[in-house]
Amino acid sequence: MLTTQAEQLMQQYRTQFMQDCSERAPKLTAFIQEILQGRHLGFSDENKSFDQAVALIMEYEYQDFSVYGWLRNQNGGYLGDGIINFPKECLPKFDADVEDEIYGLEQDENEEDEEDEEDEEDEEDEEEAWDAVDDFYSGLHEYFSHWFANCFRTAAQNTASTLPAYFSVHDTNSYTNLATMQEELCDDIAEKFGWTSFWQD
């Protein structure tokens, strides 16, 4: 059974994460507005400009929720002089290794009760603990994705932007279309814009 201490720890992280999102929404919205106005990009190639963008692609890292993005032109090429890194102050702070912390709590609990518990029960308890950790992360990612999408939609409304935008966790084969909130496969996105491939060398 998942220890009360472990449950409290996850609830504490969850509450802090949601509070961070709420507090940082104005900063994220403002930063996205600046991107949609052509800032934070840099164009050393005089033949490239923000006006050539046909899509904005954004990703976040699974563990720490850092976000980065890039613009694509009608040929699928990248615009700007590099990736757009979203400032940390725009995003919720999350640098905890919940798996290790929960594992440590579970180990301590098992050692205390070692004489009274059977191996099979220990395995069931450990499996339940990891299921709880998986549910914890799934909940955070779902909350984060919706929060980010809401901030983007507000920024797009404030700038009257109609630039298509896609958002996803890193290293996946589909992205959420932030206009429709529907998942779209990378190959389908590439086909929609007439790109040879979603990923360019």
Side-chain angles (χ1 to χ4, degrees):
M1 184 175 183
L2 190 65
T3 65
T4 301
Q5 192 176 0
E7 290 175 337
Q8 290 175 341
L9 179 66
M10 286 190 287
Q11 183 57 48
Q12 176 185 330
Y13 280 130
R14 186 181 299 109
T15 301
Q16 183 61 55
F17 186 83
M18 294 170 70
Q19 182 177 334
D20 282 354
C21 286
S22 178
E23 291 176 355
R24 298 181 189 202
K27 290 183 179 180
L28 175 62
T29 302
F31 185 75
I32 294 172
Q33 286 177 193
E34 292 174 352
I35 293 174
L36 296 175
Q37 291 166 338
R39 297 171 61 183
H40 305 296
L41 301 166
F43 293 96
S44 57
D45 185 340
E46 61 182 19
N47 295 318
K48 292 183 178 180
S49 70
F50 179 74
D51 293 339
Q52 296 171 338
V54 298
L56 172 62
I57 311 294
M58 294 168 289
E59 289 186 348
Y60 71 94
E61 293 292 345
Y62 182 85
Q63 288 290 349
D64 65 1
F65 297 91
S66 57
V67 179
Y68 46 94
W70 56 94
L71 291 170
R72 304 285 290 276
N73 64 21
Q74 62 182 1
N75 298 320
Y78 298 109
L79 289 171
D81 294 335
I83 324 180
I84 306 164
N85 288 303
F86 285 61
K88 290 183 179 179
E89 59 267 23
C90 293
L91 304 166
K93 181 180 179 182
F94 193 83
D95 55 9
D97 193 334
V98 176
E99 291 95 336
D100 280 354
E101 292 192 45
I102 299 300
Y103 182 73
L105 291 172
E106 291 300 306
Q107 286 294 97
D108 292 344
E109 183 77 10
N110 288 340
E111 286 173 8
E112 291 176 7
D113 299 336
E114 188 173 357
E115 295 180 1
D116 301 325
E117 294 185 356
E118 299 294 332
D119 289 342
E120 186 175 335
E121 291 178 354
D122 287 347
E123 289 178 7
E124 290 177 358
D125 288 349
E126 188 170 327
E127 184 177 337
E128 182 180 339
W130 295 131
D131 286 346
V133 170
D134 286 343
D135 290 343
F136 165 79
Y137 272 110
S138 294
L140 283 195
H141 283 273
E142 183 177 356
Y143 186 87
F144 178 76
S145 295
H146 282 90
W147 170 75
F148 188 94
N150 286 335
C151 289
F152 182 88
R153 285 198 293 269
T154 299
Q157 289 172 358
N158 291 345
T159 56
S161 173
T162 57
L163 182 68
Y166 296 86
F167 186 62
S168 177
V169 67
H170 175 62
D171 196 19
T172 185
N173 66 350
S174 65
Y175 284 72
T176 300
N177 182 328
L178 294 181
T180 65
M181 291 305 292
Q182 298 298 312
E183 290 287 317
E184 296 183 20
L185 293 173
C186 293
D187 288 345
D188 291 342
I189 296 172
E191 183 178 353
K192 178 192 298 186
F193 290 105
W195 301 337
T196 304
S197 170
F198 184 83
W199 299 110
Q200 302 289 331
D201 294 330

